[in-house]
Amino acid sequence: MSVPIVLDKSTFQGLNYRDIIELHRYYRVNITPLLVSEILGDLSKEEKAGRKPPKEEVINLSKKLFPYNSYVNMPCKLIIEYSFLGKFTDSENRPFLIANESITTEDKNGLTFKETEEEESIKRWKVGNFESIDEITSTLWRNESKDENVINNFKNKFEHLENIKVTNTKATNPEKFEELKERFFERINIEMEEEDTLILMLEYFQIEEDKKKEILNRYNNGSVYQLEEFAEYAYYCYSIVSMFFIGMNNNLFGDRLTNLLDLEYLFYAPFSNVFSTNDKFLISLFNVIKPKNVRFISLKSLKDDLAKFQALNTSENWSEVPPDKETETFEIWDNLFDLELSAKLKPTDKDKARAKKEFEEILKIVETGKKGEFKGEPDFVVKESFMSRNDPCPCGSGKTLGECHYKGK
């Protein structure tokens, strides 16, 4: 068992290597493409006296991106498009990946996942192997993060929300946000025509014209006219950018370009059970949006939890559940898994032998199974990851693979 978590760069940088080891024991890390881009963006930073060279910073950050118990999520722009087209409905608070192949047999259906481009890049960066495209991409990212015209262009897309203003100026900020959020939903769901709102959403997310026509045809020919039901995930993402604009327009958020870039982390929150940031802006926006079934944990709480676990665990003997009941991580686990009940239902040796046999059968199916499409949920998924001897061993010992299960090989 483990709990999917999304970390923004501020939390990721705030965790040291030992913290990350402990994190992977109790959380399944959903690596967002945005985090990968921000790490690469550091490559084009100016070198400063007394600080590590940018290339070394990228190498060190990449080494904290482990290939086990982690996934790189599908880019949110593609999922937004799928949402409009009705091809994506609910993440169920799990990472959403791009399948490489589907496998069909008489008994089981499954999906296989290969390394993504981001994962292949991370693998290179760990050993200091940077290609020219990395340098170019990093420079483009850093230039984009400094282009103040982006904010002005962003503001011009929300003229329909300009008149949403706080009426009770003496209210607390959380109270102001609640009032503004209520007015926002009234504006787009009641005062405006649903189709007009849909068109604004399609334009904001820069959906291509042929796809836009397909989406509008789906809307006009269907029986669902509530946008939240028609394209729930796209609606959620549009709510985030809209509330950012409304917050700026009421002087509750600053208009820094980095805020606009960072809010994309919240696009990935539904693909987890836990979200963590040390950015006050993102914390405020998270509390406004309240992603469904996603809990917030601060960097401080997370680090405190992991430090307590480090003191209790050893490389030879570590607990499979959070070992300290007085931690937020334990509370999160207990809410999701009912740990008291789970302990009573602990698998027997016979259950473990059966599971091992089924696992071996699945691996054989992947090697020899017939490729083909199927409908419904898969019976199994297989994710391929390539590890170096210097990566932490997936057994959770905290030792490198070369020091642990690959020792002497």
Side-chain angles (χ1 to χ4, degrees):
M1 295 188 295
S2 58
V3 178
I5 187 171
V6 165
L7 315 171
D8 82 330
K9 193 183 179 191
S10 65
T11 289
F12 181 71
Q13 286 182 309
L15 300 176
N16 61 38
Y17 190 81
R18 282 301 316 170
D19 293 334
I20 296 286
I21 291 281
E22 216 65 39
L23 180 78
H24 277 254
R25 284 175 171 161
Y26 305 107
Y27 290 97
R28 187 184 317 139
V29 181
N30 188 343
I31 301 170
T32 68
L34 176 59
L35 177 60
V36 178
S37 295
E38 287 206 288
I39 289 173
L40 180 60
D42 288 350
L43 190 64
S44 56
K45 279 184 175 179
E46 293 183 12
E47 291 199 27
K48 294 184 178 179
R51 297 184 63 176
K52 292 180 180 179
K55 185 173 290 187
E56 190 175 334
E57 285 189 26
V58 176
I59 291 171
N60 290 336
L61 287 172
S62 300
K63 286 180 178 178
K64 295 197 298 182
L65 294 171
F66 299 162
Y68 79 89
N69 207 25
S70 65
Y71 306 90
V72 175
N73 207 90
M74 180 187 291
C76 59
K77 181 172 176 55
L78 187 55
I79 307 174
I80 289 169
E81 185 178 293
Y82 284 172
S83 176
F84 281 127
L85 292 167
K87 297 179 180 179
F88 173 82
T89 53
D90 191 351
S91 67
E92 298 180 347
N93 300 100
R94 296 179 297 181
F96 196 65
L97 314 179
I98 301 175
N100 181 63
E101 291 178 332
S102 60
I103 308 292
T104 62
T105 69
E106 292 182 1
D107 301 319
K108 294 182 183 296
N109 297 316
L111 299 171
T112 64
F113 298 88
K114 303 287 187 181
E115 279 189 313
T116 64
E117 290 183 12
E118 289 90 351
E119 288 169 316
E120 290 177 350
S121 296
I122 291 165
K123 189 167 59 178
R124 286 191 292 99
W125 301 344
K126 286 182 179 182
V127 294
N129 180 5
F130 295 96
E131 298 179 350
S132 57
I133 189 64
D134 296 327
E135 305 278 356
I136 295 169
T137 303
S138 176
T139 301
L140 289 173
W141 171 263
R142 189 146 295 279
N143 289 341
E144 182 182 348
S145 68
K146 295 178 180 179
D147 185 358
E148 293 303 327
N149 289 325
V150 174
I151 280 288
N152 293 328
N153 293 334
F154 171 80
K155 291 178 179 178
N156 291 335
K157 296 176 181 179
F158 292 93
E159 293 180 358
H160 57 295
L161 304 178
E162 283 183 344
N163 63 347
I164 297 179
K165 295 285 187 176
V166 171
T167 56
N168 183 6
T169 56
K170 294 183 179 180
T172 64
N173 278 1
E175 290 171 339
K176 290 177 182 178
F177 279 126
E178 284 303 313
E179 178 190 345
L180 293 170
K181 183 169 70 170
E182 185 177 335
R183 280 289 299 120
F184 162 64
F185 287 121
E186 284 179 0
R187 178 76 176 118
I188 65 169
N189 293 326
I190 299 174
E191 297 171 4
M192 294 177 61
E193 292 292 334
E194 291 273 354
E195 187 170 349
D196 291 341
T197 302
L198 176 58
I199 291 170
L200 286 170
M201 291 169 65
L202 295 173
E203 289 175 350
Y204 178 82
F205 291 117
Q206 299 178 326
I207 304 299
E208 296 176 359
E209 284 301 319
D210 58 335
K211 294 284 176 60
K212 190 184 297 185
K213 290 178 183 177
E214 184 180 349
I215 292 163
L216 289 172
N217 285 336
R218 174 180 171 247
Y219 175 79
N220 290 316
N221 295 331
S223 58
V224 176
Y225 297 100
Q226 292 293 319
L227 289 180
E228 186 172 10
E229 187 177 350
F230 175 77
E232 182 179 357
Y233 178 69
Y235 183 88
Y236 162 81
C237 293
Y238 191 68
S239 300
I240 291 172
V241 295
S242 296
M243 285 306 303
F244 173 52
F245 169 80
I246 292 169
M248 281 196 302
N249 204 36
N250 283 269
N251 298 315
L252 296 173
F253 290 140
D255 60 358
R256 294 184 306 165
L257 177 56
T258 52
N259 284 349
L260 178 58
L261 297 174
D262 287 345
L263 63 77
E264 189 177 296
Y265 279 110
L266 288 173
F267 288 8
Y268 294 98
F271 304 98
S272 67
N273 287 117
V274 182
F275 179 81
S276 181
T277 177
N278 200 40
D279 188 318
K280 291 181 180 179
F281 157 70
L282 279 180
I283 294 172
S284 296
L285 196 51
F286 177 92
N287 290 330
V288 173
I289 298 299
K290 298 181 175 67
K292 185 171 63 177
N293 299 324
V294 182
R295 176 163 172 165
F296 174 78
I297 186 169
S298 68
L299 170 61
K300 183 181 184 306
S301 289
L302 188 58
K303 280 187 71 71
D304 287 348
D305 288 1
L306 299 176
K308 290 176 181 178
F309 301 158
Q310 288 174 37
L312 295 169
N313 289 326
T314 67
S315 59
E316 287 75 26
N317 185 22
W318 58 277
S319 173
E320 293 183 356
V321 301
D324 189 326
K325 294 184 178 181
E326 303 301 318
T327 58
E328 197 167 347
T329 296
F330 181 91
E331 183 184 336
I332 290 168
W333 267 63
D334 200 24
N335 287 338
L336 283 172
F337 303 124
D338 190 344
L339 293 178
E340 185 176 346
L341 178 61
S342 297
K344 293 177 181 178
L345 300 176
K346 192 172 182 179
T348 64
D349 290 340
K350 189 175 180 180
D351 293 330
K352 292 178 181 178
R354 189 187 306 115
K356 182 180 179 182
K357 182 179 179 182
E358 184 177 4
F359 176 71
E360 291 171 348
E361 289 174 352
I362 287 172
L363 292 180
K364 289 180 181 178
I365 289 173
V366 171
E367 293 176 0
T368 62
K370 180 180 178 182
K371 310 296 186 291
E373 299 298 323
F374 62 87
K375 293 183 179 180
E377 288 290 312
D379 298 307
F380 66 86
V381 295
V382 174
K383 171 77 164 59
E384 291 186 9
S385 294
F386 295 89
M387 302 181 64
S388 76
R389 295 175 62 89
N390 295 322
D391 283 317
C393 188
C395 75
S397 67
K399 299 177 182 178
T400 66
L401 185 62
E403 295 170 333
C404 196
H405 277 77
Y406 206 71
K407 190 174 183 178
K409 297 182 181 180

